[in-house]
């Protein structure tokens, strides 16, 4: 009798059951999580990596060109070597013009500038080697490759910046000498082809020599060794030819003279050392082919070797 009464009293005091509510209309219902957009730099930082607050942009060749231009114009070696090159080209050309005098007939008229350009090319060769070998000597190449891991891009930027700078300054210097020769000397008026070969052609030839020196510097990674190698390439064939006397070595002597760098420059000025051999624009094309081969080897070496 007591148990049914106790159960009845407990049911009377128990709270009434609440009706089920739709979670869509409940103000505190848990909402589904909103997907967060990935940070634009997350792809660069990697999954779960650190995202820098500094904006990061993918690099390209333009950045490497700007970096190499900053380097080459801020180095004292650039000012000295190119300054001496311009001084030699213009100064020796002017001295040769004054020594020839206005009473002497010169044919070809622009051939007087040959000696100054030949000596000035040695300065461009030196700068071409130093533009890359100096970074290996000081260890700066590690910083360069850390900032730009693409080694081909680094070498391309160095080659483009150096070649453009050498070409512009050399062409300006040879043009000044050609204008002085035309104004101060007597002789047949040069043709358009002679003008182009004595100014733009000579500038291209010297710039290609510097680019070849840069490629040799990338291969050897040693300033003194690369400069000595390039001086041998420029001067040794002609020196060997002078000591090769005898009928049995006449053909070798002639070949060394015809394809030497001084003879090739002389061909551009229409004052050949020999009547045989490459003429006109052919020496320039030969040097361009040799430079392309050596530069290709430099690309392969830079990509394979460690710093």
């Amino acid at each position: 009798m007591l148990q049914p009464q106790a159960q009845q009293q407990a049911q009377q005091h128990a709270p009434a059951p609440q009706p089920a509510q739709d979670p869509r209309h409940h103000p505190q219902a848990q909402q589904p999580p909103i997907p967060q957009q990935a940070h634009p730099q997350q792809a660069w930082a990697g999954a779960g990596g650190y995202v820098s607050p500094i904006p990061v942009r993918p690099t390209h060749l333009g950045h490497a060109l700007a970096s190499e231009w900053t380097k080459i114009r801020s180095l004292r070696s650039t000012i000295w070597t190119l300054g001496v090159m311009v001084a030699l080209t213009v100064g020796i050309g002017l001295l040769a013009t004054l020594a020839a005098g206005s009473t002497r007939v010169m044919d070809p008229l622009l051939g007087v500038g040959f000696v100054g350009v030949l000596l000035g090319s040695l300065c461009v060769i030196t700068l071409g080697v130093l533009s890359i070998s100096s970074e290996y000597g000081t260890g700066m190449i590690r910083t360069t490759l850390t900032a730009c891991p693409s080694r081909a891009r680094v070498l391309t930027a160095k080659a483009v910046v150096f070649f453009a700078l050498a070409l512009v300054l050399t062409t300006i210097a040879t043009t000044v000498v050609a204008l002085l020769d035309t104004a101060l000397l007597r002789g047949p008026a040069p043709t358009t082809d002679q003008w182009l070969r004595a100014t733009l052609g000579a500038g291209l030839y010297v710039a290609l020599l510097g680019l070849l020196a840069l490629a040799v510097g990338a291969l050897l990674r040693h300033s003194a060794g690369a400069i000595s190698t390039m001086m041998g390439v420029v001067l040794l064939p002609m020196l060997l030819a002078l000591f090769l006397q005898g009928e049995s070595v006449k053909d070798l002597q002639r070949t060394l003279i015809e394809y030497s760098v001084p003879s090739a420059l002389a061909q551009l000025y229409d004052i050949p050392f020999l009547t045989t051999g490459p003429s006109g624009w052919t020496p320039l094309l030969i040097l361009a082919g040799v430079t392309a081969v050596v530069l290709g080897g430099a690309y392969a070496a830079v990509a394979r070797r460690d710093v």
Side-chain angles (χ1 to χ4, degrees):
M1 295 294 292
L2 295 177
Q3 291 181 356
Q5 291 179 0
Q7 292 178 357
Q8 185 177 5
Q9 291 178 0
Q11 291 176 357
Q12 290 177 357
H13 293 287
Q18 299 293 331
Q21 297 182 0
D22 191 348
R24 294 176 296 178
H25 301 288
H26 197 278
Q28 297 182 354
Q30 185 178 3
Q31 300 294 331
I34 301 175
Q36 297 181 355
Q37 294 182 354
H39 195 278
Q41 298 177 19
Q42 190 68 37
W44 296 93
Y50 170 73
V51 178
S52 172
I54 303 174
V56 177
R57 296 180 299 171
T59 57
H60 50 75
L61 181 60
H63 297 118
L65 291 173
S67 174
E68 294 303 326
W69 170 243
T70 302
K71 290 180 189 177
I72 199 168
R73 67 184 174 86
S74 59
L75 292 175
R76 285 179 293 179
S77 60
T78 303
I79 300 174
W80 279 105
T81 52
L82 293 182
V84 172
M85 182 274 294
V86 173
L88 287 174
T89 303
V90 178
I92 294 180
L94 178 60
L95 290 176
T97 301
L98 295 176
S102 58
T103 58
R104 183 179 176 183
V105 177
M106 302 296 298
D107 187 16
L109 188 65
L110 304 180
V112 180
F114 159 72
V115 177
V117 174
L118 178 61
L119 294 178
S121 66
L122 302 180
C123 300
V124 178
I125 289 172
T126 303
L127 180 61
V129 171
L130 292 178
S131 62
I132 188 168
S133 63
S134 60
E135 291 199 37
Y136 283 101
T138 59
M140 184 66 183
I141 191 66
R142 298 185 181 90
T143 305
T144 300
L145 295 179
T146 301
C148 181
S150 176
R151 302 187 178 194
R153 184 187 301 169
V154 170
L155 186 55
T156 301
K158 288 182 179 294
V160 170
V161 170
F162 170 78
F163 181 79
L165 181 62
L167 175 61
V168 170
L169 290 182
T170 308
T171 304
I172 291 174
T174 54
T175 302
V176 170
V177 174
L179 292 174
L180 290 174
D181 292 344
T182 305
L184 300 177
L185 295 177
R186 294 177 55 196
T191 64
T192 303
D193 184 63
Q194 288 176 326
W195 262 100
L196 288 176
R197 281 189 282 112
T199 54
L200 180 60
L204 281 170
Y205 196 91
V206 174
L208 282 173
L209 274 177
L211 188 59
L212 177 62
L214 187 147
V216 172
L219 287 171
L220 300 183
R221 300 188 296 180
H222 191 274
S223 299
I227 292 174
S228 301
T229 301
M230 285 303 302
M231 293 303 170
V233 169
V234 173
L235 302 176
L236 190 58
M238 185 63 67
L239 293 176
L240 285 176
L242 294 177
F243 290 97
L244 292 177
Q245 302 294 332
E247 293 297 329
S248 60
V249 292
K250 280 294 183 182
D251 293 338
L252 177 59
Q253 182 189 45
R254 184 183 302 107
T255 302
L256 290 174
I257 295 176
E258 290 174 351
Y259 291 94
S260 64
V261 171
S263 178
L265 269 175
Q267 288 284 0
L268 292 175
Y269 283 92
D270 284 334
I271 48 174
F273 292 173
L274 298 175
T275 56
T276 58
S279 60
W281 293 90
T282 306
L284 184 62
L285 298 177
I286 293 174
L287 180 60
V290 173
T291 303
V293 172
V294 179
L295 191 60
Y299 273 104
V302 168
R304 285 175 172 268
R305 294 184 309 203
D306 196 1
V307 295

